[in-house]
Amino acid sequence: MMNRMITFIGILLAVGGVVFPQERTVRDPLPFNPPVARTEAEKKILAVMDHMMKLNQTYLSVPPQDGEALRLLTEATDAKNVIEIGTSTGYSGLWFCSALQKTGGHLTTFEIDHERASMARGHFQDAGVENLVTLVEGDAHEQVAKLKIRIDVAFIDADKPGYVDYLNKVLPLMRPGGLILAHNVDMVPDYVKAVTANPDLETIFFMQGRGLAVTLRKR
Ligand SMILES: C[S@@+](CC[C@H](N)C(=O)[O-])C[C@H]1O[C@@H](n2cnc3c(N)ncnc32)[C@H](O)[C@@H]1O
């Protein structure tokens, strides 16, 4: 009798799960403490980022939580060559620059939209980091394939259906120990599958902001 009741309850729960699947809610980024500038150059970069936020001069940019993660990971890996796919108006690029002025590295960033690329150039200039950045205008699917550099950190933040193609193009260029970062990973299950199924890679998910996959090329 008891066994039958347990089976019955089990069936009810299983059917309930199918008929009334749990609703997914969009999570707000967790609280963020703005970083304190360590140098005058960094102060200038932070001021431009702040200005961009206040004047709505960003477009689909990472929240500061993810920006700070980009900076921390770039600095921690002492990255010399960073590439970014999806510049927009330069907000995440400035986070990279705040690390690169410390590591002595360089950012190559790709943007297909001319107006946003022009705004990004202006922001890099205002922040005094134009020498740290090469902005390549055009379709990143074509442009990334032309790269010949050894990449320490790659950041994928452009067209979502293109994530796996970008991954396949940057992987051979990544140094072992390098990091591939990808934004809004909840929106790209095929990318999550690709990085988690590859035995040469190890991936964690940083969820303080909008979902950043952090993938280590192990070998
Ligand atoms: C989410 S926004 C990037 C935000 C930026 N990383 C930031 O946090 O400030 C995506 C950008 O990718 C660009 N994009 C989309 N498809 C592209 C492609 N095929 N090649 C280059 N850029 C592309 C869009 O024009 C857009 O500006």
Side-chain angles (χ1 to χ4, degrees):
M1 180 66 181
M2 186 58 114
N3 276 351
R4 262 201 239 147
M5 261 182 76
I6 290 170
T7 310
F8 181 60
I9 291 168
I11 291 169
L12 273 184
L13 288 174
V15 171
V18 174
V19 178
F20 306 112
Q22 277 199 340
E23 206 174 285
R24 290 197 59 201
T25 51
V26 176
R27 202 179 31 77
D28 282 334
L30 293 170
F32 171 72
N33 289 325
V36 178
R38 295 165 294 185
T39 60
E40 282 307 307
E42 197 170 279
K43 203 175 190 176
K44 205 167 162 185
I45 297 173
L46 292 176
V48 172
M49 291 198 290
D50 199 38
H51 188 76
M52 286 173 74
M53 280 291 192
K54 285 191 179 129
L55 297 190
N56 273 331
Q57 291 176 348
T58 57
Y59 171 80
L60 297 180
S61 293
V62 297
Q65 289 86 342
D66 290 327
E68 193 169 35
L70 301 178
R71 178 173 82 159
L72 186 149
L73 294 167
T74 303
E75 212 172 297
T77 50
D78 196 27
K80 304 291 186 236
N81 273 320
V82 176
I83 74 151
E84 172 183 62
I85 302 172
T87 318
S88 185
T89 61
Y91 183 75
S92 51
L94 287 171
W95 279 105
F96 280 119
C97 287
S98 69
L100 292 171
Q101 58 177 4
K102 222 161 169 254
T103 67
H106 193 85
L107 172 70
T108 305
T109 181
F110 299 87
E111 177 53 56
I112 202 165
D113 182 90
H114 174 66
E115 206 174 311
R116 286 197 278 278
S118 302
M119 284 181 78
R121 280 197 190 92
H123 291 137
F124 294 141
Q125 244 152 32
D126 292 347
V129 296
E130 66 275 21
N131 293 338
L132 300 184
V133 185
T134 302
L135 200 162
V136 181
E137 253 185 84
D139 185 349
H141 291 282
E142 292 163 17
Q143 298 300 328
V144 168
K146 297 181 189 164
L147 285 174
K148 299 260 185 290
I149 51 173
R150 199 88 178 126
I151 302 171
D152 299 299
V153 173
F155 179 44
I156 304 173
D157 191 20
D159 47 313
K160 304 302 174 230
Y163 271 35
V164 173
D165 181 55
Y166 291 132
L167 174 69
N168 291 334
K169 284 182 174 143
V170 300
L171 249 186
L173 301 173
M174 296 301 304
R175 76 155 157 91
L179 298 176
I180 306 161
L181 314 172
H183 202 233
N184 302 121
V185 278
D186 321 31
M187 294 159 71
V188 276
D190 57 339
Y191 178 86
V192 171
K193 206 168 161 191
V195 287
T196 51
N198 186 331
D200 291 342
L201 305 176
E202 190 165 329
T203 300
I204 57 167
F205 299 95
F206 171 76
M207 304 306 281
Q208 191 180 342
R210 292 280 180 219
L212 184 72
V214 180
T215 298
L216 171 73
R217 181 176 166 186
K218 289 191 287 188
R219 49 181 172 249

